[in-house]
Amino acid sequence: MTSSGQKRAEPTKQRGWLAANYSIPARIVTVVGVLASAWGLAAAVGDTEGENPVSWLMFIGPALAGAFPTIELAWRRDRDLSMATVKPRWFVFPLFGALGAVIVMGVTEIVMRASGAVAAAQAQNKWHYWFAEDGPSAPSIAFGLLGYVAGLLLAVAVYVVVLWPLQILLRPHQAIDENMMDTSEENFRRNRAALALMPIIVVVAVVIAIGLTSENTVLAVVAIAVEVGLVVAGMALQRVDRKRRAAAGVGTGVEIGRKRS
């Protein structure tokens, strides 16, 4: 195939991926989330104290629009729940919600500024919660970007807390194979148990971060002790496929109690 042919094939492949993975419900949620962000910005102009929950739609709208394509995998059993398949959803789909929100909020902001509503609100309170005089010059862009980050994090959280456990429960052999672990029946139960510990390890890591940032020493110390125990248990349980990992250039990791061949 010529280079020009390859260039034409790449966009076609990308469009095919979008058509297959960006469902109609996800697109509807994106439109609703984007429009909701504009409603949030309009409400935020009059919300000088930051007390109106509707104002939060400026970033909640695009966040939900970006995370929904991952969330919907929880009930769409015809979809692959592998990390390789799900990961592009975390980074690609939140872009649509964020870009759409930036556009509609940008238009809304221009209209609100042209009408004098923003200036009037700032005159009422120069420390306006959302539109402070010394704040971002374009809140619509700032909150659109925040929506992207929030959508990405929400999608990852849903995968770790919901989809990963579902995959281990419903498709354990697939999960074991995707992680290049020993797929033999002899090590099936221990590898499934090792994978089941992973979401818990991630959640406890978040608890450690909360404990450290909030200076809650007791919480941090207890969470660290639990984390160490979980990691050691995972290393004792897991049995990887050494040949596959070596061929892929991936480290075998630590396997407590297994002899090196």
Side-chain angles (χ1 to χ4, degrees), residues 36-45 54-55 58 105-106 108-109 112 131 139-140:
S37 69
W39 178 26
L41 188 138
V45 172
V54 176
S55 302
M58 287 188 290
M105 283 197 295
T108 303
E109 184 178 355
M112 299 297 283
F131 290 88
S140 55

Side-chain angles (χ1 to χ4, degrees), residues 75-95:
W75 59 83
R76 297 189 66 184
R77 298 191 177 186
D78 61 322
R79 295 296 178 179
D80 186 353
L81 295 181
S82 67
M83 175 77 76
T85 301
V86 177
K87 190 183 297 183
R89 291 172 176 262
W90 303 344
F91 298 96
V92 175
F93 293 132
L95 278 174

Side-chain angles (χ1 to χ4, degrees), residues 17-204:
W17 182 85
L18 284 174
N21 293 279
Y22 202 27
S23 67
I24 298 300
R27 299 181 192 193
I28 293 173
V29 171
T30 297
V31 172
V32 172
V34 165
L35 295 177
S37 69
W39 178 26
L41 188 138
V45 172
D47 183 21
T48 59
E49 301 297 330
E51 297 175 345
N52 186 353
V54 176
S55 302
W56 304 345
L57 290 174
M58 287 188 290
F59 52 90
I60 292 178
L64 289 177
F68 185 81
T70 298
I71 295 173
E72 70 174 344
L73 292 177
W75 59 83
R76 297 189 66 184
R77 298 191 177 186
D78 61 322
R79 295 296 178 179
D80 186 353
L81 295 181
S82 67
M83 175 77 76
T85 301
V86 177
K87 190 183 297 183
R89 291 172 176 262
W90 303 344
F91 298 96
V92 175
F93 293 132
L95 278 174
F96 300 143
L99 291 175
V102 166
I103 293 171
V104 299
M105 283 197 295
V107 172
T108 303
E109 184 178 355
I110 290 172
V111 172
M112 299 297 283
R113 289 186 184 278
S115 67
V118 174
Q122 289 175 334
Q124 180 183 349
N125 183 355
K126 69 176 183 178
W127 306 113
H128 193 295
Y129 190 84
W130 303 106
F131 290 88
E133 291 183 354
D134 60 347
S137 57
S140 55
I141 296 177
F143 285 109
L145 294 176
L146 178 60
Y148 174 81
V149 174
L152 190 156
L153 293 177
L154 179 58
V156 173
V158 168
Y159 181 79
V160 171
V161 178
V162 179
L163 297 182
W164 184 287
L166 276 178
Q167 186 188 36
I168 296 169
L169 179 66
L170 302 176
R171 307 174 186 174
H173 289 90
Q174 176 184 326
I176 290 171
D177 179 65
E178 288 164 356
N179 286 275
M180 297 188 185
M181 303 175 84
D182 186 356
T183 56
S184 67
E185 288 301 319
E186 177 185 358
N187 290 315
F188 170 73
R189 290 186 177 180
R190 66 186 307 143
N191 278 335
R192 180 175 60 180
L195 288 176
L197 291 177
M198 294 305 297
I200 304 174
I201 289 173
V202 173
V203 171
V204 175

